[in-house]
Amino acid sequence: MALSELYTEYNRVWIPDAEHVWRSAEILRDFHVGDNVLELLLEDGTHHYPVDPSNTRLPPLRNPDILVGENDLTALSYLHEPAVLHNLKVRFVESRIIYTYCGIILVAVNPYKQLPIYGDAIIHAYSGQNMGDMDPHIFAVAEEAYKQMARNHKNQSIIVSGESGAGKTVSARYTMRYFAVVSKSGSKTKVEDKVLASNPITEAIGNAKTTRNDNSSRFGKYTEISFDKKYQIIGANMRTYLLEKSRVVFQADYERNYHIFYQMCSCAHLPEFKNLRLLSADNFQYTSMGGDITIEGVDDKKDMEETLRTFSLLGLNKDFQSDVFKVLAAILHLGNVEIRNSGDDKSSVPPSDPHLAVFCELLGVRAEGLVRWLCHRRIVLVAETVVKPVPKERAVNARDALAKQIYAHLFDCIINRINTALQAPGKQHAFIGVLDIYGFETFDINSFEQFCINYANEKLQQQFNLHVFKLEQEEYMKEDIPWTLIDFYDNQPVIDLIEAKMGILDLLDEECLFPQGTDQSWLQKLYSYLDANHLFEKPRLSSQAFVVQHFADKVEYQCKGFLEKNRDTLYEELVDILRDSKVIKGRILLQLLFFGYTVDSLWTPYLWKMLHKVKTSLSLLMETLNATTPHYVRCIKPNDEKLPFEYDSRRVVQQLRACGVLETIRISAQSYPSRWTYIEFYSRYSILMSHQEADLNDKKQTCKNVLQRLIQDTNQYKFGRTKIFFRAGQVAYLEKLRLDRLREACITIQKHVRGWSQRRKYLCMREAAIILQQYIRGKRTIRAAALKQGWAAVMIQRHWRGYRVRQVYQLVRLASITIQAFTRGWMARKQYRKMLKEHKALVLQKYCRAWLARRRFQTMRRLVLNVQLSYRVQQLRKKIEEQYLNPVTLQNKENRGLVERLTSLANTQSQAVDRLQVLEAQLEKTTNQKALLEAREKKAQEDANLILREDHEKEMEILKEEIKRLKEERIGLNRKLEEVDQMNSDLQEQVIQLTKHIKIIPELRRDLSSLQNQRNNVDRKMKQQCEQSFLSLYRHFEEKAEELEEVKRELQSQVEELEEENDHLKRLQQIESEAKSKLRQETSRLTAENMDFEEQLDQKDRLIKKLQTQIKSLETSQKGTDTSASAVPKDYLGMLEYKREDEPRLIQNIILDLKPKGVVVNVIPGLPAYILFMCVRHADYLNDEAKLKSLMNAIIGGVKNSHHKDLNLLSFWLSNMYLLLNSLKQYSGEEEFMKQSTPRQKKNCLRNFDLSEHRQILSDLAIHIYHRFITVMEKTLTPTIVPGMLEHESLQGISSMKPTGFRKRSNSIYEDLDTYTISSIIQQLSDFHSTMTQHGMEQGLIRQAVKQLFFLVGAITFNNIMLRKDMCSCRKGMQIRCNISYLEEWLKLKDLQGSNAIDTLKPLSQTAWLLQVNKSTDDDAKEISEKCTELNPVQIVKILNSYTPIDDFEKRVTSSFVRKVQSLLQDREGSTHLMLDTGYRFQVTFPFCPSSQALELLQVPSSLRLDFLTKI
């Protein structure tokens, strides 16, 4: 079908648009060849698109919605620029997917937002997968490179390119991280960590902030990651290209210098940076030119800590780091050296310049020499040497040239040291190179740096074009399709324009040789020599620029500064000054900087050196890339504002044209862009087949027949060996036919369903009419009777309702009276309590007022006494004055006073003597009491010891008597058993007599009914009596309450008296408590000594019991020997005897050589466990600790060595270890494990040793075997999960297959082979279950294993849905739910519902429900947030964004609906991980399950070759 025939009504096309680049429009009328106008419908009205009849160039057709949003752009039916642009926009803006394939290219759009798609779980999910099986991802490209290196033994390259700010550095970093994770070497050198650690250093010294990117790489980097023969990382090597040295001395507005300078300035206060004399970054000229020294969201101090950490991780010592920082600080100080204009084209530097002094101090150079040769130049003539001063401008250029050259050499030196640290210790087997380089650049003002970058991109684009062309040719040849040459863009003429003889670079080199050469003279040469070249143009409005037509776009380069930069020469005099430095001679790094270059190389002009270096490095890079298999990653910058998930079509299309994506599309579109395998075509378009065609067994021939019938023009398709190749637009035509067929089928189904619905509705109405007629006719006949019955019913209802209302009223009245009575009583009591409180308050007030009155009286009395006293003192003074006149009388009075004092002193002395005698008597009394107490304590201690000994002897005698009594009781019990037998016979006779009395039962029933009636009567009487007694009791209680109140008052008065007595007693008690405390101390000491004696007695008791058990064992062994000598039949004890030297044979035969498929083992699966336990019992029976430990260690070691990766062995020994562990518990003698044991098993318990430690070791061993067992099952089951649960279409008639792209076709071979289905998974689970059941595994363990396997099925399936957009469809959800139902039926069939295994599939079942549910309204969003409880918000949003319609009947999920769901889920807490952890293990438990197996009845079969075992 011709492409022009597809321009029919309702189809859509793309027309150019100034704002959005391309705009969609709908065709209003069919277009026919010869029409001048194509009528279109736009959103703002109709539009007439003019068409030239002579050159029919119609607007490009738009792909059907079913094809929009594909993982691979080559899967689109119409391959052109607007289709690519729209597909990327739908994936990026609506689905929030940043990666898309375009043939062999991975297009990565920078989201400007952190996404949860780079964790280790994602890496492991992509590891080992084919590139087209999962959603596009940078990890998929890395896995493809790693896989091809291992499979083809060929080196690989990953080329990452794009504009500044497009995400190149991050993409390259993720690829290296992927290799580090998937190829862990396990060595102690941690090579992978070192490879990743090199990134922070290279970013610090090579990245800077630009207007387009905050972390722009200002150099190209090719990192070779080396692998050994096991394909594990052993080292790495870096090569750098095109370092932007000019950034060291110049930055544009809003840009920064390299990050390392700002990191150092932020740490200037630290001790290790004090000697560098650093200032703030805005105080240095080289770091403040852009005007912005900070980056939003970036902490330079923390970045410096990370840089120092990675320096140490790479093994770069402190001296090396110190040298690096010295050189960097010297560059900053050099930039601040002031150069002044001295007139007459002269310049000078002030000798007192502080920055000059710091620079000279850091590098150890002479300031005089440096100042001289910065401002002068030596010119060597034929006959003499002249020193000429230079103007300020030339001196500044010389200073900047020195700074740039020092930084460039420092950069190379650091890279070399990093390469040395990353060198491989072994031999490199293969490598994967990651190239991170500038993309095509075009600015408003483009200089030499952009010219070199675009030149390098021209070389890379040429290599890319040739590789794409080669792959396309190989594809055609592999499918036996006739190959026709395709016209693809070859940019060799542009490369010749730049690098050929008399090209741009050659003329530049020539102009550099002339001392008087200028930018204008070089430009005029370009105009004259290259004017005839159509790729070179002269601007119309400028005479200072030239234009080059690159493969991506036209670029105008300003010639100003080309030759000035060329003269940016580092002179020999400056180099000599640096070489004479003592500091430099003492440092290895600085020697490498300044002694590693010859004078000639330093005299060579900068641009010529740069040109030579660029050409040489590019040629080496091309050789490397051509010798490897390249993989391409094109990074796209969606907008210039760095807004998350904002899409600027004009910026994106500009980059798509520049990076070669559209060229790939164009090459593919020229031939047969759409390619389907026969299986895909058959599955997708089987609906277009007739019955005769569908009945053919050969699907390939069926596809050919159908296609020849549908498309008559055979030039529109070609049949290959495994694929069908289509011209552009043919798949869209087939989709249109398929959609028409589905629409016709839908109309037919709707017609029949509507007819059936209307018939059903009519029949229901007819049936209802008949029933109504029946009721109406019957109602007429029974109307009179119905009226009477209705009147009677109303009367009955009236009386009944009255009765009910009266009953309720009486109940309410009684309740009200009761409530009133209690309320009134409560109020009366409350009033009484209130009066009582007031009375008490009055009493308190009375006593308080009396106390106050007494207090006032006492104060007045004191005042009166004081007055009297003062009066009497005055009277006494008068008398003394009178007596003073008569001395004799005065002397007599004094003598009398002395006599009185002596008599009083004698009395006080006699009283003191009496008191001393009383105290001495008390002291003697206390000493006597203390001696008595000590004697009593000693006597009590001796009595306690005697009593304890006597008690112990008495207990021994009592125990002996009890043993005798138990023996007598045993004899008595035997007699009672005989009596019980006699009683049984008597009971049988009584049963016979009771049968005779059965006839009397009816009479007894009658008597019982009469008794019940009597009982009811008695109950009624009792109720009445109770009510009367209640009333009388109530009155009696009220009288009693009054009496009690009086008694209460009397008691309160008595209480007050008792309180006074109590205070007196308390004082006495304090005296007694002091004596008691002393007694308590003594008693506590005695009790501690008693406890020590009791512990000693307990130890002796244990010794006695142990000796008694040994005596019993000796007696039993002696009896056993006696009985063996006699002819009495053997009574086996359930033990196996063996010799110590036979222990290795036992382990070899029963563990190492035993196969779980033997007949004996199948009959008794736990036989090895029982045999081993019987041997353990015998060692315990003999009380041989050495033999027991040796046997247990041998068992554990043998089981560890017996299982490796064999499923049957692991299952068999897991079951036996579980049985052995249970046997050790059951026969341990512990009560908790003996509850369900038989008397014989209780008798056979272990006697001498506690094997709890060995039980713990066996438990750990069983857990280890369980995890190995689960791992082996998971390895077997994993390959079947994704094909069975997701890819296989278990529901008939529901196909979810869509067109696939180049990646799927190139990596998957579709042949009609057996594939895994859900039946394969169920069959595998059944095999596992039968194996576990056959080996006698306990049901609890089987449930745990099945639960773990179901979790694995759910997790792997869920993770694949998260990473596969093609699996997120409604039909796929139906298939998943169907498969889950199959698994649930299997659980029911195997009786494993109690394992909760189906609960592990809840995330998967909710995902399937989410894929099927309607996703459009607010109610739908609310329902999703309520029902998807097992999914976190990240997973729900990912599923909604990835939802892909299979047919045009389905609708995509709108971004507004996704935002609604996000708002409802924003408060939900939980994990934020996208993937489920497939390595998660549920905690295994070993529940105790006692065995009913009688060990004494077990027979050891001869086939086990255990004849050296003797049954005891």
Side-chain angles (χ1 to χ4, degrees), residues 423-484:
Q423 277 182 355
K427 185 178 179 182
Q428 175 181 295
H429 177 68
F431 72 84
I432 297 177
V434 181
L435 177 63
D436 175 11
I437 198 167
Y438 303 106
F440 184 83
E441 285 191 355
T442 174
F443 301 107
D444 294 335
I445 298 175
N446 301 289
S447 186
F448 182 78
E449 287 80 12
Q450 282 71 41
F451 184 80
C452 290
I453 290 168
N454 293 340
Y455 168 49
N457 277 275
E458 288 286 356
K459 300 285 284 185
L460 291 171
Q461 182 65 25
Q462 185 183 38
Q463 189 268 347
F464 170 73
N465 290 343
L466 292 173
H467 184 68
V468 172
F469 186 78
K470 178 184 175 183
L471 288 178
E472 194 77 8
Q473 185 179 6
E474 288 177 353
E475 179 76 8
Y476 278 71
M477 293 175 67
K478 187 171 69 174
E479 293 292 328
D480 295 334
I481 301 295
W483 173 253
T484 56

Side-chain angles (χ1 to χ4, degrees), residues 233-344:
I233 293 179
I234 58 171
N237 184 64
M238 273 189 287
R239 283 185 272 165
T240 58
Y241 307 93
L242 303 174
L243 175 67
E244 189 182 8
K245 294 192 292 185
S246 61
R247 181 166 293 273
V248 178
V249 299
F250 174 76
Q251 304 96 44
D253 291 340
Y254 306 109
E255 292 191 356
R256 293 205 320 174
N257 208 326
Y258 291 105
H259 295 325
I260 189 66
F261 292 116
Y262 302 92
Q263 294 175 8
M264 288 173 57
C265 291
S266 67
C267 298
H269 62 283
L270 297 179
E272 55 265 34
F273 293 98
K274 287 287 186 182
N275 61 336
L276 303 181
R277 315 256 185 96
L278 292 172
L279 307 173
S280 175
D282 52 5
N283 293 327
F284 287 109
Q285 183 182 352
Y286 284 166
T287 55
S288 60
M289 288 184 180
D292 191 1
I293 64 170
T294 59
I295 302 175
E296 185 179 355
V298 175
D299 188 348
D300 291 317
K301 190 174 180 181
K302 287 185 178 179
D303 290 346
M304 189 64 189
E305 293 175 0
E306 179 67 15
T307 303
L308 292 172
R309 189 187 67 82
T310 51
F311 264 125
S312 302
L313 183 60
L314 288 171
L316 304 178
N317 55 31
K318 295 291 184 181
D319 291 338
F320 179 82
Q321 297 176 33
S322 176
D323 292 342
V324 170
F325 297 137
K326 275 188 178 181
V327 174
L328 292 171
I331 292 172
L332 291 177
H333 287 289
L334 180 62
N336 277 21
V337 172
E338 183 183 0
I339 299 176
R340 297 174 180 175
N341 192 356
S342 302
D344 298 331

Side-chain angles (χ1 to χ4, degrees), residues 1449-1502:
F1449 302 106
E1450 300 179 37
K1451 294 181 180 179
R1452 294 182 181 275
V1453 181
T1454 62
S1455 56
S1456 60
F1457 180 81
V1458 176
R1459 286 194 293 271
K1460 287 178 190 173
V1461 175
Q1462 280 181 307
S1463 64
L1464 293 173
L1465 297 174
Q1466 62 184 358
D1467 296 332
R1468 180 180 293 186
E1469 297 179 355
S1471 174
T1472 58
H1473 295 294
L1474 181 66
M1475 312 279 285
L1476 295 179
D1477 184 9
T1478 56
Y1480 176 75
R1481 292 282 188 275
F1482 293 106
Q1483 186 177 3
V1484 60
T1485 57
F1486 296 107
F1488 173 67
C1489 183
S1491 173
S1492 59
Q1493 178 68 47
L1495 298 179
E1496 61 273 6
L1497 301 179
L1498 275 177
Q1499 299 293 331
V1500 180
S1502 59

Side-chain angles (χ1 to χ4, degrees), residues 683 1283 1286-1292 1294-1297 1372 1375:
S683 177
L1286 288 177
E1287 295 175 353
H1288 176 69
E1289 297 176 353
S1290 54
L1291 292 176
Q1292 296 296 326
I1294 295 181
S1295 174
S1296 58
M1297 189 164 294
K1372 190 59 67 177
Q1375 290 180 2

Side-chain angles (χ1 to χ4, degrees), residues 357-371:
V358 175
F359 175 81
C360 295
E361 180 185 344
L362 290 174
L363 296 185
V365 300
R366 292 179 292 105
E368 299 82 4
L370 181 65
V371 169

Side-chain angles (χ1 to χ4, degrees), residues 1082-1099:
E1082 291 296 326
T1083 51
S1084 62
R1085 186 177 61 80
L1086 290 171
T1087 51
E1089 290 178 358
N1090 288 334
M1091 291 293 290
D1092 295 337
F1093 285 126
E1094 287 177 1
E1095 287 180 1
Q1096 292 175 6
L1097 286 171
D1098 289 339
Q1099 290 177 0

Side-chain angles (χ1 to χ4, degrees), residues 308-563:
L308 292 172
R309 189 187 67 82
T310 51
F311 264 125
S312 302
L313 183 60
L314 288 171
L316 304 178
N317 55 31
K318 295 291 184 181
D319 291 338
F320 179 82
Q321 297 176 33
S322 176
D323 292 342
V324 170
F325 297 137
K326 275 188 178 181
V327 174
L328 292 171
I331 292 172
L332 291 177
H333 287 289
L334 180 62
N336 277 21
V337 172
E338 183 183 0
I339 299 176
R340 297 174 180 175
N341 192 356
S342 302
D344 298 331
D345 292 336
K346 294 181 181 179
S347 58
S348 64
V349 177
S352 61
D353 192 316
H355 295 284
L356 177 66
V358 175
F359 175 81
C360 295
E361 180 185 344
L362 290 174
L363 296 185
V365 300
R366 292 179 292 105
E368 299 82 4
L370 181 65
V371 169
R372 181 185 181 191
W373 293 115
L374 279 176
C375 301
H376 295 79
R377 181 182 173 187
R378 180 187 294 166
I379 301 174
V380 180
L381 302 176
V382 177
E384 59 179 343
T385 301
V386 179
V387 176
K388 180 183 177 182
V390 295
K392 177 182 177 181
E393 185 179 357
R394 295 287 293 274
V396 170
N397 291 338
R399 181 198 66 187
D400 293 344
L402 179 62
K404 290 190 292 184
Q405 207 71 352
I406 291 174
Y407 190 84
H409 294 327
L410 176 66
F411 182 85
D412 293 339
C413 183
I414 293 173
I415 295 299
N416 291 333
R417 288 297 297 269
I418 291 174
N419 288 337
T420 304
L422 298 178
Q423 277 182 355
K427 185 178 179 182
Q428 175 181 295
H429 177 68
F431 72 84
I432 297 177
V434 181
L435 177 63
D436 175 11
I437 198 167
Y438 303 106
F440 184 83
E441 285 191 355
T442 174
F443 301 107
D444 294 335
I445 298 175
N446 301 289
S447 186
F448 182 78
E449 287 80 12
Q450 282 71 41
F451 184 80
C452 290
I453 290 168
N454 293 340
Y455 168 49
N457 277 275
E458 288 286 356
K459 300 285 284 185
L460 291 171
Q461 182 65 25
Q462 185 183 38
Q463 189 268 347
F464 170 73
N465 290 343
L466 292 173
H467 184 68
V468 172
F469 186 78
K470 178 184 175 183
L471 288 178
E472 194 77 8
Q473 185 179 6
E474 288 177 353
E475 179 76 8
Y476 278 71
M477 293 175 67
K478 187 171 69 174
E479 293 292 328
D480 295 334
I481 301 295
W483 173 253
T484 56
L485 291 176
I486 299 173
D487 180 24
F488 70 96
Y489 177 78
D490 187 5
N491 60 345
Q492 185 62 42
V494 182
I495 296 173
D496 292 339
L497 172 68
I498 297 171
E499 67 179 11
K501 190 174 182 181
M502 300 307 291
I504 295 174
L505 296 181
D506 195 21
L507 292 173
L508 179 63
D509 182 23
E510 181 182 332
E511 191 68 19
C512 290
L513 298 175
F514 297 104
Q516 301 301 322
T518 62
D519 296 332
Q520 194 64 34
S521 61
W522 173 64
L523 185 63
Q524 293 302 321
K525 285 185 180 180
L526 293 180
Y527 289 160
S528 60
Y529 283 102
L530 303 176
D531 187 45
N533 195 319
H534 67 282
L535 299 175
F536 181 87
E537 296 180 9
K538 178 182 178 182
R540 295 180 181 178
L541 303 176
S542 176
S543 61
Q544 302 293 326
F546 61 93
V547 178
V548 177
Q549 176 65 57
H550 289 285
F551 74 94
D553 200 358
K554 286 184 179 181
V555 182
E556 181 177 328
Y557 298 100
Q558 298 293 326
C559 70
K560 183 180 179 181
F562 268 66
L563 266 69

